[in-house]
Amino acid sequence: MASVESAARNPLRDPRDRRLSRIAGPSSMVLFGVTGDLARKKLMPAVYDLANRGLLPPSFALVGFARRNWSEEDFAAEVKHAVQQYARTPFSEDVWNQLAEGIRFVQGAFDDDDAFEQLKKTIAELDEHRGTGGNHAFYLSIPPDKFEQVCQQLSRHGLAAADDGNWRRVVIEKPFGHDLESARELNDIVESVFPPDAVFRIDHYLGKETVQNILALRFANQLFEPLWNSNYVDHVQITMAEDIGIGGRAGYYDGVGAARDVIQNHLLQLLALTAMEEPISFDADNLRAEKEKILAAVEVPDDLGAHSVLGQYSGGWQGGEEVAGYLDEADIPDSSITETYAAIRLDINTRRWSGVPFYLRTGKRLGRRVTEIAVVFKRAPNMIFGHHGSNDDFGQNAVVIRVQPDEGATIRFGSKVPGTQMEVRDVTMDFGYGHAFTESSPEAYERLILDVLLGEPPLFPRHQEVELSWKILDPFEDYWSRRGEQPQPYDPGSWGPPAAAELLARDGRSWRRP
């Protein structure tokens, strides 16, 4: 299994001792795109938090690569500032000083051969004097159209090939293409330089504790798994809502839209984890195989218009503040038909899920920031309770897994109201990570970066998953593009356009209000 193999490579960890955390072995991370928001707000703080928790070896090194005219001291100061501003754990001078000893910087552009030769010398110096052991991860926090150039430079200068006993890995961020064809081209580019098992595709949602808890909730509890099928489940709703607009992302977002930005990766991954069969084990191959089976079984509907809704937020008031509509945002053309809200219905052609619709929705400027999976069960016959309470009081049981921001799970069920009458109303039982555990959940990037350094890939989708996801979304995107209509407007602070409610109403259902 992957965890045992990584432990064997890491003498600091004994797989027989469950008290020990996973600790990375000698290694470095080379970070391309160090001047971007992702590096500053997430990646650099995550590296520090791992070091602060004792999960990085003393010899760990962080190498920045950028065009800025920085010295190594300048880059270290930038990292320190990012850590002090965004790190999850308290700042410690001792931890920082140890980490700073391994910080290096290489100045250059992606087409600069001299810069990549300098990077090669820097890595060799770290191997010799810092003990990184020839183990290096290249994190491409850069636009996807630069992946090919950087990968070819790494190959041309002998940086991608590993010697016996050490490793080289590459980490790429979403989006993994903008459709099936481009995703395949991107996979061919990256895997022409790095072997498939050395390519780590980051979907930060898969690093969240509550996403991983889907598997624990389902397969570690006899309470849920026997009911997790079409005999008992009425439908499933998967929601990722944001209460903010596009901010400064106009250059990326316009022309991409909510469906490509969120549904293709985050929400389809959550669907796969919710619907998959129990894997033989949680190693990468078995876990990925079950997810791929589910994605392959998703049926794309014939009537795409009746199974999807697009929206675009308009201007108005939200949270006591007047906000601009999408078409009034900076750098957005007046004629843009890019959606900021998307909802689709999917069905899964398996024995377990036949007849159970999965509703996926995402949007900006919605009622609140929340990501959740709601498994809604069929109504009980209520033969003896039908005259005691209205349907609004006594509804459908549900299991709701909250991914963010209040990580946890809620069970909704009917209970008798105190009093002399037999009146039943819905009540909830709630589990929250913050209340149940003394240790706070690590930030998603901490878990994912550590997994890269350990070589444990279960949380990273391989190219088959990416391509299957595009096969699901591409027909919708093609239909929307051919139709060419302006998405339906919706008020900021609402839960989407009116057509979104109609999407479920046609099936006799309604959206949850998180």
Side-chain angles (χ1 to χ4, degrees), residues 15 40 53 119 141 167 180 184 189 210 213 234 264 268 290 294 300 331 338 359 383 385 402 465 470 478 507 510:
R40 183 168 55 91
R53 294 167 58 209
L119 177 61
S141 179
W167 51 259
L180 178 59
R184 284 174 170 165
I189 289 168
T210 38
N213 196 42
D234 179 75
Q264 182 272 331
L268 285 177
E290 296 302 334
I294 283 295
V300 176
D331 301 321
T338 298
Y359 301 100
M383 298 298 290
F385 296 107
R402 301 189 306 275
E465 288 178 65
W470 281 120
D478 291 342
D507 298 336
S510 60

Side-chain angles (χ1 to χ4, degrees), residues 164-335:
D164 290 340
N166 57 36
W167 51 259
R168 303 291 167 95
R169 297 173 186 140
V170 65
V171 185
I172 59 177
E173 281 275 352
K174 79 169 187 74
F176 311 124
H178 60 270
D179 56 15
L180 178 59
E181 182 180 358
S182 61
R184 284 174 170 165
E185 291 174 358
L186 180 59
N187 287 326
D188 290 342
I189 289 168
V190 176
E191 293 186 3
S192 69
V193 175
F194 292 89
D197 61 356
V199 179
F200 289 72
R201 296 167 182 84
I202 288 274
D203 183 340
H204 70 275
Y205 259 58
L206 299 185
K208 292 181 179 293
E209 287 285 342
T210 38
V211 172
Q212 299 164 53
N213 196 42
I214 298 170
L215 302 178
L217 185 89
R218 289 189 56 192
F219 302 127
N221 297 288
Q222 188 67 8
L223 175 64
F224 299 113
E225 185 60 14
L227 308 179
W228 214 262
N229 56 64
S230 61
N231 293 327
Y232 301 98
V233 175
D234 179 75
H235 70 280
V236 178
Q237 298 182 23
I238 303 178
T239 298
M240 178 183 165
E242 296 180 275
D243 58 3
I244 59 172
I246 60 167
R249 300 178 68 211
Y252 163 75
Y253 197 89
D254 195 55
V256 174
R260 284 192 177 103
D261 190 40
V262 175
I263 291 179
Q264 182 272 331
N265 39 73
H266 299 329
L267 298 196
L268 285 177
Q269 283 288 323
L270 295 181
L271 177 147
L273 290 168
T274 302
M276 62 182 270
E277 298 297 324
E278 184 174 5
I280 297 172
S281 70
F282 289 127
D283 71 8
D285 288 340
N286 290 320
L287 188 58
R288 287 164 164 175
E290 296 302 334
K291 287 198 292 178
E292 288 165 15
K293 288 178 186 177
I294 283 295
L295 293 174
V298 170
E299 289 186 329
V300 176
D302 294 328
D303 191 349
L304 294 164
H307 287 73
S308 65
V309 172
L310 298 183
Q312 192 179 79
Y313 63 81
S314 54
W317 291 85
Q318 182 177 19
E321 177 185 1
E322 190 171 12
V323 297
Y326 181 74
L327 297 179
D328 297 321
E329 298 276 16
D331 301 321
I332 298 296
D334 295 339
S335 58

